[in-house]
Amino acid sequence: MDEVLALNNVSKSFDGITAVKNVCISIKKGEIVGLIGPNGAGKTTLFNLITKTHQIKPDAGEIRYHSHKINGMSDYQIARMGIGRLFQDVKIWGSLTVMENLLLARADTLKENMAYRLLFPKRYREIKEKNTKEAEKWLAFVNLEEYKTKKAKGLSYGQQRLLGLARLLCNNFELLLLDEPTSGINAVMVQTILEKIQSLAQWGKTIFLVEHDMDVVKQITSRVYFMDNGEIIATGKPDEILSNPLVKEIYLGC
Amino acid sequence: MILQLLVNGIITGSLISIMAIGFGIIYSTTNFFHIAYGSVYVVAAYIMHTFLSWHFPFIISLAMSLFFAVVIGVLIELLVYKPLHKKRAPQGIYLISSLGVYILMINITALIFGNETKLLSYGIEKSIHFGDVILTKIQIAQCVTFILLSILSLFFMHYTRIGKTIQAMGCNARLLEFCGVNLQKLRFIIFAIGSFFAGVASILTGLDVGIDPYMGMIPLLNAVTAVILGGIKRIEGIIAGAFFIGITQNLVIGYLSGRWESVVTFSMLILFFLYQSGGIIKVKKRAEEL
Amino acid sequence: MNYIFHLLIMIEVYTILALSLNLVVGYTGLLSLSHASFYGLGAYASTLLMINVGFNFFPAMICAIIITAAFSLCISYPALKLRGDYFAISSFAFQIIIFGILYNWVDLTRGPYGIAGIPRPTLFGLKIDSLQAFFTLTTLITGAVVFFKYNLYQSPFCTVLKAIKEEEQAVISMGKNVVGFKILAFAMSSGVAAIAGSLYAVYITYIDPTSFTLDESIFILTIVLIGGAGNFKGTIVGVFVMLLIPEILRFIGLPDSIAHYLRQIIYALILIIIVRFRPWGIAGDKELGSV
Ligand SMILES: Nc1ncnc2c1ncn2[C@@H]1O[C@H](COP(=O)(O)OP(=O)(O)OP(=O)(O)O)[C@@H](O)[C@H]1O
Ligand SMILES: [Mg+2]
């Protein structure tokens, strides 16, 4: 009913190597769901399939977002539907300033339309102001205000990740796919981020995140999928999964 | 008339095939457009011309020409591409350098030899009649060479170790590196083979219609078109692409005019891209499948 | 003095060409080898409109811009959805096709004979006939183009292009139609090239296909590479460098036949050396990155 994301038997192989195999996933509105698994399990590939990053499409199976089939749509349309993505490798725009990074992320494409700018200068300015305000809000949230006018590539790795997160939040996505949102970020900041993620979920956003830090997983997720070799092996409450003997053997090494 | 056109098409196709097989080997493994390939083609013909003008026997001139074609091909890789490779330069940089090498070699050739057409063989070629179809000896040589070379290259790619390694490199070069294959050495071999094919195509053409410094561009683009139409990876596909182009070109020559030959060929390339991207006919094909 | 004016006019024409190509090569990161074909399409379109239809210069130029921009879709629409390098090769093929059409469609373009006697433009009933007047006209138009480009380069539109060049996937993930942006940028660049073409046609009053060859495309590309990708001032430096080389060769007094090849050899060497050692251009800014 209020199912936001549904994957049905999704498979994908590269040159004969199966990276994702018969994956079925179902996520409801407002949930925070975790995706865990060893390196190379296919987690990032699964996200790529959902957002069609690098034009990757499933070999078989279907992906539905709010019961719309999205695996035939083009990549940017999927994003416009409301699926946001935090990439594992930051993918910020290094030669632009921090502020430009955020402004660019605003969903309004109006501001890039030159004709609009000339024809409706007043409206254009309003939009611009609104965007700037929104950007500043999220900049404050990730504590990067002092870097506002700096080039983004001058930021540290952790700061770049924060910027990536802020960029994502600037855009009103409904489903957030976060690929390791806390890696490279200090413990205090991690806690703030987690709190914020939780409040996002309370506002009705849906969050699907890949995480290697089991404490984080336990703290915020309500459900976890465990993936190995491209297959979903187990799913359930975080505690259940983490005490699953198979998961322990494959992933936790004990 | 149609029969003659088809036969001419097959001959053109043979020539394009030879050029395209060489280009395809390089493109499928290195993944950039080796435009300087067109200048190797030109220089090979001029070397042949030089040796002939020094009164060397035909066969020695031929051997020297092919030898130098191979050497130049490998030198381009060594001096131009290898340093870029080390810097992990983006594809566009290769293409621009390659273009630079092409212009450089063409203009040096023109500076030395002038830009008028020169002949590689003198005297009027005796033609042979098969019913309505007329063939010259050199045209038969072109076909025979093509058949030999294509069989040889198919055999090489499918049954020898180096050939298989080259095919594997087209799929995943990184993996090969992990398996301990010396990629640089392999690249030299690939450039040597490719340049050999350019040399052969060049001389077979030069013997027929003469040579000039600008003769390389159209065969190069024909080869590119054949490789892309034929699907890049497989030699069989490339040959099919080349024959398709050859026959189309001759039909255009026969029924329209020789002037529209290259316009039609390259329009086909663009139409093919349009088709691939799902433009005119709604066939959803993925870019990664190309 | 006339010689200086002539040189300045040509510098202005090439400034327009190089700035417009830089939008594609420098800002969007697409390698285009067909800029001369758009230059030529612009020249032929406005000439034919003036001669065959009787248009005035300015309406003809505006139509030429639109026609040329529409032609750019032939390359950008199919190729941009496919692999990156297919764009370069489509533009290469397109350059050959357009040259072939200009050369062979004798009924329309008079083929290799070219079109002579192109009327000089009139402005408010004033015929722009003298070199000085013409220089004023080109300076005004070039100034307008430079102003337009300068504003464009500061605009959010160009910021998106820069972002695309840097991290395309991230731009897509923000819901922006990247292919659309590229197609638009390419069409704008081609349209501006048509301005240069129209100016060239009415300035020289004679056009033939040999002014719009692949060599010419590569020449313009070299200017952009010298100037550095996405670099405004650099591009203008590039224009001066590249246009003064042949003049210097001429002063040395080499015979024309040798000078022609030598020029090409110098251009080729510049091309090879720049991308190898200074991919961000001679006058470029390393910060802005390479092509
Ligand atoms: N475009 C591609 N081409 C070929 N193989 C790929 C491609 N993308 C992913 N793979 C392969 O798919 C497998 C899964 O990779 P993926 O990046 O999804 O793992 P992951 O679970 O995200 O790992 P990590 O925890 O390290 O991020 C890997 O073996 C990888 O080599
Ligand atoms: Mg991953």
Side-chain angles (χ1 to χ4, degrees):
Chain A
M1 202 118 321
D2 52 353
E3 190 178 48
V4 175
L5 183 73
L7 274 70
N8 269 329
N9 285 314
V10 171
S11 301
K12 175 76 193 176
S13 54
F14 298 104
D15 300 326
I17 302 162
T18 310
V20 170
K21 198 157 139 197
N22 287 333
V23 167
C24 296
I25 279 175
S26 160
I27 298 176
K28 292 199 169 49
K29 194 168 166 67
E31 268 193 308
I32 303 180
V33 178
L35 178 63
I36 60 173
N39 293 115
K43 305 182 294 294
T44 301
T45 310
L46 191 64
F47 276 12
N48 286 346
L49 286 172
I50 298 172
T51 57
K52 213 178 164 200
T53 301
H54 302 299
Q55 302 293 317
I56 291 173
K57 285 209 263 173
D59 298 334
E62 61 172 17
I63 303 173
R64 285 178 180 277
Y65 174 71
H66 282 300
S67 72
H68 290 287
K69 193 166 172 234
I70 58 168
N71 49 338
M73 292 165 73
S74 51
D75 41 16
Y76 71 94
Q77 282 172 333
I78 292 175
R80 281 192 191 168
M81 296 276 291
I83 303 184
R85 167 99 188 255
L86 179 72
F87 292 95
Q88 186 173 7
D89 51 337
V90 273
K91 290 205 201 303
I92 51 152
W93 301 298
S95 66
L96 306 182
T97 66
V98 170
M99 195 60 188
E100 279 175 325
N101 263 273
L102 293 181
L103 285 176
L104 201 66
R106 290 286 299 159
D108 285 310
T109 42
L110 288 178
K111 68 190 173 81
E112 287 129 18
N113 184 329
M114 278 186 305
Y116 190 89
R117 188 184 184 184
L118 291 173
L119 293 175
F120 313 102
K122 189 153 163 261
R123 179 98 181 82
Y124 174 81
R125 235 174 299 130
E126 277 168 24
I127 291 174
K128 202 175 161 186
E129 257 162 43
K130 194 171 135 232
N131 286 345
T132 315
K133 237 194 223 142
E134 188 77 1
E136 271 166 353
K137 181 173 122 198
W138 294 113
L139 203 59
F141 164 61
V142 293
N143 287 336
L144 288 175
E145 288 141 308
E146 55 188 302
Y147 301 100
K148 199 167 148 182
T149 53
K150 281 237 175 78
K151 286 259 161 77
K153 69 180 152 202
L155 300 180
S156 75
Y157 175 71
Q159 287 170 327
Q160 290 188 354
R161 294 209 64 111
L162 289 173
L163 178 59
L165 196 61
R167 186 173 73 179
L168 198 61
L169 295 174
C170 257
N171 214 320
N172 269 327
F173 291 119
E174 200 196 325
L175 168 66
L176 301 178
L177 305 177
L178 309 177
D179 205 337
E180 307 192 9
T182 61
S183 79
I185 292 175
N186 77 54
V188 181
M189 197 64 211
V190 166
Q191 283 312 316
T192 341
I193 288 180
L194 293 184
E195 274 160 29
K196 201 67 206 181
I197 289 179
Q198 275 169 324
S199 58
L200 285 174
Q202 273 158 18
W203 298 342
K205 303 215 173 196
T206 311
I207 288 146
F208 190 22
L209 57 90
V210 169
E211 193 48 77
H212 282 301
D213 184 340
M214 287 309 121
D215 293 333
V216 169
V217 172
K218 272 190 219 157
Q219 194 184 330
I220 63 165
T221 61
S222 58
R223 220 146 47 79
V224 170
Y225 286 94
F226 178 75
M227 194 174 189
D228 185 36
N229 273 329
E231 282 180 285
I232 299 288
I233 293 187
T235 168
K237 293 236 155 50
D239 293 334
E240 282 167 31
I241 295 295
L242 295 180
S243 54
N244 184 328
L246 201 62
V247 175
K248 276 185 165 173
E249 190 192 317
I250 300 175
Y251 189 36
L252 304 172
C254 52
Chain B
M1 159 104 149
I2 178 83
L3 201 60
Q4 177 76 54
L5 286 178
L6 284 179
V7 170
N8 288 353
I10 288 170
I11 292 161
T12 317
S14 306
L15 282 174
I16 298 175
S17 287
I18 298 175
M19 188 77 174
I21 292 172
F23 183 82
I25 288 178
I26 297 177
Y27 180 57
S28 67
T29 49
T30 56
N31 277 317
F32 67 88
F33 286 103
H34 176 41
I35 293 174
Y37 192 66
S39 59
V40 173
Y41 177 93
V42 174
V43 173
Y46 274 90
I47 289 170
M48 176 90 178
H49 178 263
T50 312
F51 275 96
L52 283 176
S53 69
W54 289 340
H55 303 293
F56 278 92
F58 181 84
I59 200 78
I60 291 185
S61 310
L62 179 68
M64 289 317 277
S65 156
L66 294 179
F67 171 74
F68 277 108
V70 168
V71 169
I72 291 168
V74 172
L75 276 181
I76 293 175
E77 158 68 8
L78 181 71
L79 299 177
V80 183
Y81 300 144
K82 193 179 161 197
L84 294 177
H85 200 60
K86 272 192 180 153
K87 290 207 304 196
R88 299 204 172 279
Q91 262 185 3
I93 299 281
Y94 283 94
L95 209 154
I96 295 170
S97 308
S98 190
L99 204 57
V101 173
Y102 173 83
I103 302 169
L104 186 69
M105 285 170 57
I106 295 304
N107 283 287
I108 290 178
T109 309
L111 195 61
I112 299 173
F113 297 97
N115 64 359
E116 60 281 356
T117 304
K118 291 195 158 62
L119 295 177
L120 285 187
S121 64
Y122 295 91
I124 299 195
E125 196 66 52
K126 268 255 289 286
S127 55
I128 305 162
H129 292 252
F130 294 98
D132 287 342
V133 178
I134 307 166
L135 279 176
T136 59
K137 254 191 342 211
I138 178 68
Q139 286 178 324
I140 294 170
Q142 288 168 344
C143 269
V144 171
T145 317
F146 156 69
I147 293 168
L148 287 178
L149 279 181
S150 59
I151 291 173
L152 205 67
S153 56
L154 277 171
F155 176 81
F156 174 77
M157 288 304 259
H158 291 299
Y159 296 103
T160 64
R161 238 190 54 158
I162 295 190
K164 283 181 185 166
T165 322
I166 290 176
Q167 272 192 328
M169 185 176 167
C171 291
N172 197 337
R174 281 269 195 73
L175 204 65
L176 276 186
E177 213 166 7
F178 286 131
C179 298
V181 175
N182 183 346
L183 276 192
Q184 188 54 59
K185 206 173 105 193
L186 204 59
R187 285 169 68 100
F188 284 134
I189 295 173
I190 286 163
F191 275 87
I193 297 172
S195 307
F196 175 81
F197 277 86
V200 173
S202 154
I203 288 162
L204 285 175
T205 311
L207 286 172
D208 198 8
V209 296
I211 61 176
D212 70 68
Y214 307 106
M215 69 192 277
M217 187 51 80
I218 296 301
L220 171 74
L221 272 167
N222 282 338
V224 170
T225 311
V227 167
I228 290 174
L229 290 186
I232 303 175
K233 293 259 154 70
R234 296 167 62 88
I235 289 183
E236 301 90 313
I238 294 177
I239 293 173
F243 274 83
F244 176 67
I245 296 169
I247 291 170
T248 316
Q249 282 184 349
N250 278 282
L251 291 179
V252 170
I253 293 173
Y255 291 108
L256 207 58
S257 149
R259 300 178 307 186
W260 294 104
E261 186 190 340
S262 51
V263 171
V264 169
T265 313
F266 306 130
S267 303
M268 277 188 328
L269 180 64
I270 288 185
L271 284 179
F272 179 73
F273 285 146
L274 193 61
Y275 167 77
Q276 285 279 343
S277 63
I280 23 175
I281 308 166
K282 280 281 171 229
V283 182
K284 284 281 175 209
K285 265 219 152 187
R286 274 164 284 163
E288 45 177 305
E289 278 179 4
L290 291 177
Chain C
M1 204 53 205
N2 281 354
Y3 169 74
I4 300 282
F5 272 121
H6 168 74
L7 204 58
L8 285 175
I9 291 173
M10 287 321 282
I11 283 176
E12 283 172 342
V13 169
Y14 278 94
T15 305
I16 298 177
L17 285 173
L19 282 178
S20 56
L21 184 62
N22 205 353
L23 183 67
V24 173
V25 176
Y27 283 81
T28 325
L30 296 168
L31 190 57
S32 163
L33 298 170
S34 59
H35 213 55
S37 66
F38 296 121
Y39 177 38
L41 277 173
Y44 271 90
S46 52
T47 302
L48 291 174
L49 284 172
M50 282 187 287
I51 291 185
N52 293 358
V53 190
F55 272 31
N56 259 328
F57 173 68
F58 284 99
M61 184 172 87
I62 287 164
C63 291
I65 294 172
I66 294 166
I67 292 169
T68 311
F71 264 100
S72 80
L73 295 178
C74 296
I75 307 178
S76 58
Y77 182 73
L80 281 176
K81 292 189 184 167
L82 304 171
R83 296 166 53 144
D85 52 350
Y86 280 7
F87 180 82
I89 219 68
S90 307
S91 67
F92 197 155
F94 185 76
Q95 171 68 53
I96 307 278
I97 293 171
I98 292 299
F99 180 78
I101 291 175
L102 294 183
Y103 202 82
N104 294 316
W105 193 354
V106 179
D107 292 340
L108 185 71
T109 65
R110 296 185 210 163
Y113 313 109
I115 303 177
I118 300 168
R120 286 289 170 104
T122 45
L123 199 60
F124 309 119
L126 223 70
K127 203 163 171 86
I128 297 177
D129 228 355
S130 74
L131 204 53
Q132 281 83 342
F134 206 86
F135 174 68
T136 320
L137 175 73
T138 46
T139 309
L140 284 178
I141 292 180
T142 311
V145 169
V146 169
F147 179 76
F148 169 71
K149 287 280 162 179
Y150 190 76
N151 275 304
L152 183 65
Y153 290 164
Q154 315 288 333
S155 73
F157 177 77
C158 247
T159 318
V160 178
L161 295 185
K162 271 194 242 169
I164 289 173
K165 192 177 148 194
E166 196 161 341
E167 258 326 330
E168 186 168 333
Q169 289 306 328
V171 182
I172 295 170
S173 80
M174 292 296 145
K176 297 197 199 297
N177 182 355
V178 164
V179 173
F181 270 99
K182 287 181 180 172
I183 289 178
L184 191 59
F186 192 57
M188 276 164 58
S189 143
S190 314
V192 175
I195 299 179
S198 311
L199 276 179
Y200 176 82
V202 288
Y203 170 55
I204 306 285
T205 67
Y206 168 79
I207 49 174
D208 71 2
T210 56
S211 310
F212 313 111
T213 56
L214 180 67
D215 284 348
E216 188 68 16
S217 277
I218 294 168
F219 180 79
I220 305 167
L221 182 66
T222 313
I223 294 178
V224 172
L225 290 172
I226 287 184
N231 186 313
F232 196 78
K233 278 172 259 158
T235 306
I236 292 167
V237 174
V239 173
F240 274 87
V241 171
M242 289 295 281
L243 283 183
L244 290 180
I245 288 175
E247 303 307 320
I248 292 168
L249 286 182
R250 198 189 321 228
F251 272 118
I252 296 173
L254 287 173
D256 251 9
S257 59
I258 294 181
H260 171 75
Y261 301 128
L262 204 59
R263 214 161 62 208
Q264 295 290 332
I265 289 172
I266 292 173
Y267 297 155
L269 284 174
I270 291 177
L271 213 54
I272 297 170
I273 291 170
I274 279 189
V275 294
R276 169 95 161 263
F277 297 105
R278 279 183 76 93
W280 55 90
I282 291 180
D285 182 353
K286 196 172 178 178
E287 276 282 290
L288 287 169
S290 56
V291 169

